[in-house]
Amino acid sequence: MDLLGDQTVRPIPCNKENVVLVSMYVKDHVFRGHQDAVDQLVWHKTNADLLATASGDRTVRIWDSRASKCQANIPTKGENINIAWHPDGNLIAVGSKEDVISFVDTRKMKVVKDCPFRFEVNELTWNNAGTLFYLTSGNGTVNIFRLEWPVRSISFSFDGALLASGSEDHVIDISDTRSGERVADLPVDAAIFTIAWHPKKLLLAFACEDKEAPRGPRETGQLKLFGFPN
């Protein structure tokens, strides 16, 4: 795969020894559409025909390598420089020059969450099981976030120091964004629907299914608050 300065993406076949045979490849597919440099790309983990690109033009594009065309053009807020695709294919993480990681839901083809960091974010990736999310920083650290169950919602505290994630394991994990260490586990009665930190203090609001409510044709929910001492 060749990342070119003219905002194009070009796959180059390799032989069995993984040596690029520039003079022997049959067809040169050029993918055009980005309006700025393509800084990083990633292949879909299970669909070998799809790849995604991160560009300084503030978009993420998903390409069909077999059809040589763009399948989706997803706008983001920042100039993108790194990208990772979750192993299940349903989520793309893209990092910008402003140290904001945007999470793209590939089923909806849109950004569902923007997460700013207070340190320089360089590379990002998931492990093969999709349970760990890795961030490397400009200060020489590797930050690891554990995702053992499907995560439904994440939120950063107002000062960017804490990251809360709500998943289907009936626990809200709260981690230190600088060290990556877990600082609190908040047990809940049901799978989390959504979570959000207060904009000015360490007060976490979250909503989940109400297990004590009478059963009906639709799920019922409840809202709760959890506060850290200042």
Side-chain angles (χ1 to χ4, degrees), residues 186-205:
L186 178 60
V188 294
D189 299 327
I192 294 296
F193 294 147
T194 183
I195 59 177
W197 285 103
H198 190 279
K200 294 183 178 180
K201 56 186 177 181
L202 294 177
L203 181 65
L204 183 67

Side-chain angles (χ1 to χ4, degrees), residues 59-96:
T59 68
V60 171
R61 287 179 180 255
I62 297 177
W63 308 85
D64 186 332
S65 62
R66 185 173 53 183
S68 300
K69 66 178 182 180
C70 179
Q71 280 202 338
N73 181 18
I74 304 158
T76 61
K77 294 180 179 179
E79 298 179 43
N80 304 310
I81 56 175
N82 42 48
I83 192 169
W85 211 323
H86 191 277
D88 68 8
N90 293 328
L91 197 65
I92 291 175
V94 56
S96 72

Side-chain angles (χ1 to χ4, degrees), residues 42-45 47-52 62-65 71 85:
V42 63
W43 288 95
H44 192 290
K45 299 294 184 182
N47 187 340
D49 296 325
L50 297 180
L51 68 153
I62 297 177
W63 308 85
D64 186 332
S65 62
Q71 280 202 338
W85 211 323

